[in-house]
Amino acid sequence: MLDLTQDVRELTAAIVDIESVSGNERALADEVERALSALPHLKVDRSGETVVARTELGRAERVLIAGHLDTVPVAANLPSRVEGDLLYGCGTSDMKAGVAVALKLAATVPAPNKDVTYVFYDCEEVEAERNALTRIARDHADWLAADFAVLMEPTDGVIEGGCQGTLRAEVTVAGKRAHSARSWFGVNAIHGIEPVLARLNAYEARRPVVDGLEYHEGLNAVGVRGGVAGNVIPDLCVVSVNYRFAPDLSIEAAQAHVREVFEGFEVGFVDAAPGARPGLTHPVAAAFAGAVGGTPRAKLGWTDVARFSALGVPAVNYGPGDPNLAHQQGEYVSLSKIVESERAMLDWLTI
Amino acid sequence: MLDLTQDVRELTAAIVDIESVSGNERALADEVERALSALPHLKVDRSGETVVARTELGRAERVLIAGHLDTVPVAANLPSRVEGDLLYGCGTSDMKAGVAVALKLAATVPAPNKDVTYVFYDCEEVEAERNALTRIARDHADWLAADFAVLMEPTDGVIEGGCQGTLRAEVTVAGKRAHSARSWFGVNAIHGIEPVLARLNAYEARRPVVDGLEYHEGLNAVGVRGGVAGNVIPDLCVVSVNYRFAPDLSIEAAQAHVREVFEGFEVGFVDAAPGARPGLTHPVAAAFAGAVGGTPRAKLGWTDVARFSALGVPAVNYGPGDPNLAHQQGEYVSLSKIVESERAMLDWLTI
C-alpha cells in the first residue's frame, strides 16, 4: 500500500513508478483509494478510476484540490531516477508531483481550516469525452461542489488563473467551376480567400486584463482546403479558423467577434469551449494567492479549470512541475519545488 | 458489316448505334477493320482496338486523318434518333460524325491527291496512359508519320489550330508549428500564402498570337492544403497551381515563367504537357484551311493534337460536331454539317 507518511519527494517517486498511462490508471487508483480509505477523517468515494475524498467538518468554506492520475505514454523514462535536485521520469512534472502534494495534505491535515475535497481522476491526457471529470460532473456533480478549486497541474509553483476559451469557425468562399483551360468562365474560390488571409494577417490580438491577469488572444487559420481536380477552377475553399479568447468573452460574444472580423464572408461554427475567469477576487482564492505568493499569471491554454468554472467553482492551476517539460521524454520535477508547494498549501489549509 | 456506301448521315447513325464506351470499343473496331479491309486501295493494320488504314500511292505528301472510336458513358441516349436536321445520341458530336466522314473518305477516294493515313483509335476519353495513341506512338511510330494531321474532334466545322500546354506546380510556404493557444510562438504557413494568392489575383494572362491564331493563357490555383490539427499553428501550406500556356512557350520556358511569378517562394513542378503550334503555315495545312474555309481559331484545351506535334506532325482539330455539346446527355450533331465536312474534305483530297 502507498505509504502516505513518507516524505513528499519519496512519495512522488513511488507514484511515478506505478505506471498509469491514460486508460491504465487502475493500479494507481486502487493504491490511492486504499491509502485514503485508511484515514478516518476522510469520506472516500470512487467512480471508475476516480477517487474522491472529503473532510466533513462543517466549515464555512469548502475547497477542492484535484490532480489527474494518468500520464502520456511512457517513453523509456520509467522507473524514475534522482539526479541532484531533479526527479526524472514519465509524469514527474505532469502531474504526479502535484498528486503527491495533494495526497500528503489529505493524510497530514485531518482538521483543515476549510473543508477540503480531494479529487484524483483519470483520462485527462486524452480526448475530452473520456476525461473522468466529464462523467463525474454529470453523474456526481455534488462531489465537485466547492467555493474554490486548485488543479495541481504543473505551473512552476505560480498560480495560473482561469483559462482562455476556444472556438473553431469555418470561413467559406464560393466560386464557379470551369475547365482550367478556359478559366475566365469560372470564379476561383481559392483566389477568393486572399482577403480572408489578409484580415488574419492584419488582425491584432487583444491582451485584456481580466480579474487582474493579462490574457493574450489569438485568431489563426488552422486548416485550409480547396480544389476539385488539376484541371478545374475550384468552386469552394474553406478556411478553418481557431479563435482563442480571453475569459471576459462568452462563447456567443466570441462568435459575434469572429463574424465581425469576417464580415461579408460565410462563417459557420464547428465547436467551442468557454473560457474561465481566474476568480482570484473571491476571498478564499485571495487567501490562497497570499499563501502561495508570487505573481499570478493568466492561463492561456484551455484546461480542466474551465470545467469547474462551468460548475460555478472558480479554479486555478498551481503545481510544482514545469509546464514546459510536460509530455517530454526528458520530463523531470525539482524536488525542492515539491517541498515548497507542500508547505504553501499546508499554510493555506492550516493558518 | 458496316456499309460504307451509304450516305454519311446514315453511316453516322449506324456508328453511333454500336455502343463503344471507352474500354468497350472492340465491336466497333471490328466493324471498322472489316469494312476497310474490303477496300483494295488501303493497307490496313490493327493494334488492340485501333485500326490504321493507308493509301500507298507514292504521293509527295502524306496527311493523317484521325478519330477516336470511344465515347463517354451512355446516359440513356442510345439508340440515336433524328429530329429535323439533328441526330441525337451518345457520341454523335464527340466524335462519331467525324469518324463517319473519315470512313466515307477512306471508302470513296481511292486515289487522293496526297497519300492519306486514316487512324481510328480507342480510349481517348479516359486517362492519357490508356489513350491508344500513347501506345501507337511508342510501338508503331511509323504508322503516324505524316506532313499534316487532322483530328476530327467536334469544332463546329471550324479549324481549331494547335493547343495550349499545361503544367502543374506546387508553391510551398513553410511556417513554424506551435500550440494555437500561444500562436505567437509559431509562424502560420496558411497566413503565409496570402501573397501567393495576391499574385494570382493580380496576374494578367497573356493572349499571344501564334502562327496567326490568338491563344489565351491562364494561371490558377487548383488546390490548396494546409493544417495539422484544430489547435496547432500549421507549419506547411501548399498551393497547387495550373498554368495553361500558349504554344509559343516550351515547357521549360513555361516553368521559368511560373518560377518568376512566384519569385521568393519554393516552387516545385508536378507534371507538364507541351502545347502545339497550329502549324497552319505549312503548305498542306494552308491548302486544308483554304478547302475548309472559315477563320481558324486557337485551341485552348490540351488535345491529342499535341501528340502529333510532339512527333513532328503539325495538326489541327476540325470536325462537324459542336464542342459545347460534348459529354452532355442531350448531345447531337447537325446532319447538314456532317455533309459539309465531307464535301470540304473531299475537295481537299481530290482538287
Side-chain angles (χ1 to χ4, degrees):
Chain A
M1 196 174 83
L2 217 48
D3 173 11
L4 299 188
T5 67
Q6 65 189 315
D7 181 274
V8 70
R9 292 164 289 193
E10 287 158 16
L11 180 59
T12 301
I15 295 171
V16 168
D17 291 339
I18 303 173
E19 184 263 286
S20 59
V21 174
S22 308
N24 192 33
E25 300 93 337
R26 178 159 300 174
L28 180 54
D30 286 351
E31 291 286 342
V32 168
E33 184 187 9
R34 263 195 293 264
L36 295 176
S37 297
L39 300 168
H41 61 278
L42 293 177
K43 176 178 185 301
V44 177
D45 287 300
R46 177 155 175 172
S47 165
E49 313 311 339
T50 292
V51 180
V52 177
R54 47 197 294 139
T55 62
E56 297 196 313
L57 302 163
R59 303 292 195 229
E61 292 165 328
R62 175 175 292 280
V63 297
L64 187 147
I65 298 172
H68 60 81
L69 297 176
D70 60 320
T71 68
V72 295
V74 178
N77 50 2
L78 281 186
S80 63
R81 65 190 164 83
V82 175
E83 275 186 35
D85 183 51
L86 306 180
L87 175 70
Y88 285 85
C90 181
T92 44
S93 172
D94 183 12
M95 59 175 287
K96 290 183 170 177
V99 168
V101 169
L103 285 171
K104 281 297 290 181
L105 296 171
T108 58
V109 189
N113 53 20
K114 30 204 163 270
D115 271 311
V116 184
T117 304
Y118 299 94
V119 177
F120 302 96
Y121 63 106
D122 57 297
C123 287
E124 191 271 346
E125 298 289 8
V126 288
E127 57 273 27
E129 307 83 70
R130 290 175 62 195
N131 188 313
L133 287 185
T134 305
R135 185 181 76 248
I136 303 293
R138 185 186 64 223
D139 299 344
H140 306 281
D142 56 308
W143 292 2
L144 304 180
D147 298 294
F148 179 63
V150 179
L151 264 76
M152 299 207 65
E153 290 277 3
T155 66
D156 227 359
V158 173
I159 295 176
E160 289 190 340
C163 77
Q164 294 199 134
T166 179
L167 68 77
R168 275 193 308 144
E170 291 197 334
V171 184
T172 300
V173 172
K176 188 179 157 218
R177 227 179 257 209
H179 196 291
S180 66
R182 287 168 293 276
S183 52
W184 46 95
F185 290 129
V187 177
N188 195 314
I190 295 175
H191 296 192
I193 67 166
E194 185 199 340
V196 174
L197 300 182
R199 291 186 203 181
L200 286 167
N201 278 320
Y203 186 77
E204 294 201 16
R206 286 198 317 147
R207 298 176 74 154
V209 173
V210 182
D211 294 354
L213 301 188
E214 188 189 67
Y215 289 84
H216 192 159
E217 299 194 334
L219 183 68
N220 272 277
V222 290
V224 61
R225 59 182 194 275
V228 177
N231 61 352
V232 177
I233 301 303
D235 55 353
L236 193 74
C237 190
V238 179
V239 182
S240 281
V241 171
N242 182 218
Y243 180 33
R244 298 280 171 155
F245 53 95
D248 59 340
L249 293 189
S250 64
I251 288 178
E252 294 68 30
Q255 289 177 335
H257 176 66
V258 170
R259 268 196 217 94
E260 191 178 58
V261 169
F262 298 110
E263 170 113 50
F265 289 93
E266 186 190 327
V267 176
F269 293 100
V270 179
D271 52 26
R277 298 185 74 103
L280 292 174
T281 47
H282 192 282
V284 72
F288 176 70
V292 164
T295 305
R297 62 186 177 212
K299 185 73 182 175
L300 300 177
W302 195 90
T303 79
D304 276 335
V305 153
R307 298 177 186 277
F308 289 100
S309 184
L311 292 169
V313 183
V316 298
N317 287 293
Y318 165 79
D322 179 340
N324 298 321
L325 300 173
H327 304 189
Q328 296 198 12
Q329 201 266 341
E331 181 179 357
Y332 60 78
V333 67
S334 154
L335 293 168
S336 50
K337 288 235 172 183
I338 307 177
V339 174
E340 275 174 38
S341 271
E342 184 193 18
R343 283 194 195 142
M345 299 285 281
L346 203 58
D347 287 352
W348 179 49
L349 295 183
T350 54
I351 296 172
Chain B
M1 195 173 84
L2 216 50
D3 173 10
L4 301 188
T5 66
Q6 66 188 316
D7 182 273
V8 70
R9 293 164 288 195
E10 289 158 15
L11 180 60
T12 301
I15 296 170
V16 169
D17 290 341
I18 302 172
E19 183 264 285
S20 58
V21 174
S22 308
N24 192 32
E25 299 94 337
R26 178 159 299 174
L28 180 54
D30 286 351
E31 291 287 341
V32 167
E33 183 187 11
R34 263 196 294 264
L36 295 176
S37 296
L39 300 168
H41 61 278
L42 293 176
K43 177 180 185 299
V44 178
D45 287 301
R46 177 153 174 174
S47 165
E49 313 311 339
T50 292
V51 180
V52 177
R54 46 198 292 139
T55 63
E56 296 196 313
L57 302 164
R59 303 290 196 232
E61 293 164 331
R62 173 173 293 279
V63 296
L64 188 147
I65 298 172
H68 61 80
L69 297 176
D70 60 320
T71 68
V72 294
V74 178
N77 50 1
L78 281 187
S80 62
R81 63 188 167 84
V82 175
E83 274 186 35
D85 182 51
L86 306 180
L87 175 71
Y88 284 85
C90 181
T92 44
S93 172
D94 184 13
M95 59 178 287
K96 289 183 171 178
V99 167
V101 169
L103 285 170
K104 282 297 289 183
L105 296 171
T108 58
V109 189
N113 54 18
K114 30 203 165 270
D115 272 312
V116 184
T117 303
Y118 299 95
V119 177
F120 303 97
Y121 64 105
D122 56 296
C123 286
E124 191 273 345
E125 298 288 9
V126 288
E127 58 273 27
E129 308 83 67
R130 289 176 63 196
N131 187 313
L133 287 186
T134 304
R135 188 182 73 249
I136 303 293
R138 186 186 64 221
D139 299 345
H140 305 282
D142 55 310
W143 292 2
L144 304 180
D147 298 295
F148 180 63
V150 178
L151 264 76
M152 298 206 66
E153 290 277 2
T155 66
D156 227 359
V158 173
I159 295 175
E160 289 190 340
C163 78
Q164 295 199 134
T166 178
L167 68 77
R168 275 194 307 144
E170 290 197 335
V171 184
T172 300
V173 172
K176 188 178 157 216
R177 225 178 259 208
H179 196 289
S180 66
R182 286 169 294 277
S183 51
W184 48 93
F185 289 130
V187 177
N188 195 313
I190 295 175
H191 296 193
I193 67 166
E194 185 199 342
V196 174
L197 300 182
R199 292 187 201 180
L200 286 167
N201 278 320
Y203 186 77
E204 295 201 16
R206 287 199 314 147
R207 299 176 73 153
V209 174
V210 182
D211 294 355
L213 302 188
E214 189 188 68
Y215 288 84
H216 192 158
E217 299 193 335
L219 183 68
N220 272 277
V222 290
V224 62
R225 60 182 194 277
V228 177
N231 61 352
V232 177
I233 301 303
D235 56 351
L236 193 74
C237 190
V238 179
V239 182
S240 281
V241 171
N242 182 218
Y243 181 32
R244 299 279 171 157
F245 52 96
D248 58 339
L249 293 188
S250 65
I251 288 178
E252 293 68 30
Q255 289 177 336
H257 176 66
V258 170
R259 269 197 217 93
E260 192 178 58
V261 169
F262 298 110
E263 169 111 51
F265 289 94
E266 187 190 328
V267 175
F269 294 99
V270 179
D271 52 25
R277 298 184 74 101
L280 292 173
T281 47
H282 191 284
V284 71
F288 176 70
V292 164
T295 304
R297 63 187 177 212
K299 186 73 183 174
L300 300 177
W302 196 90
T303 79
D304 277 336
V305 153
R307 297 176 187 277
F308 288 101
S309 184
L311 292 168
V313 183
V316 298
N317 287 292
Y318 165 79
D322 179 340
N324 297 322
L325 301 172
H327 305 187
Q328 296 198 10
Q329 201 266 340
E331 183 179 356
Y332 61 78
V333 67
S334 155
L335 293 168
S336 51
K337 287 237 173 181
I338 308 178
V339 174
E340 273 174 38
S341 271
E342 184 192 18
R343 283 197 193 137
M345 299 285 281
L346 202 58
D347 287 352
W348 179 49
L349 296 183
T350 54
I351 295 173

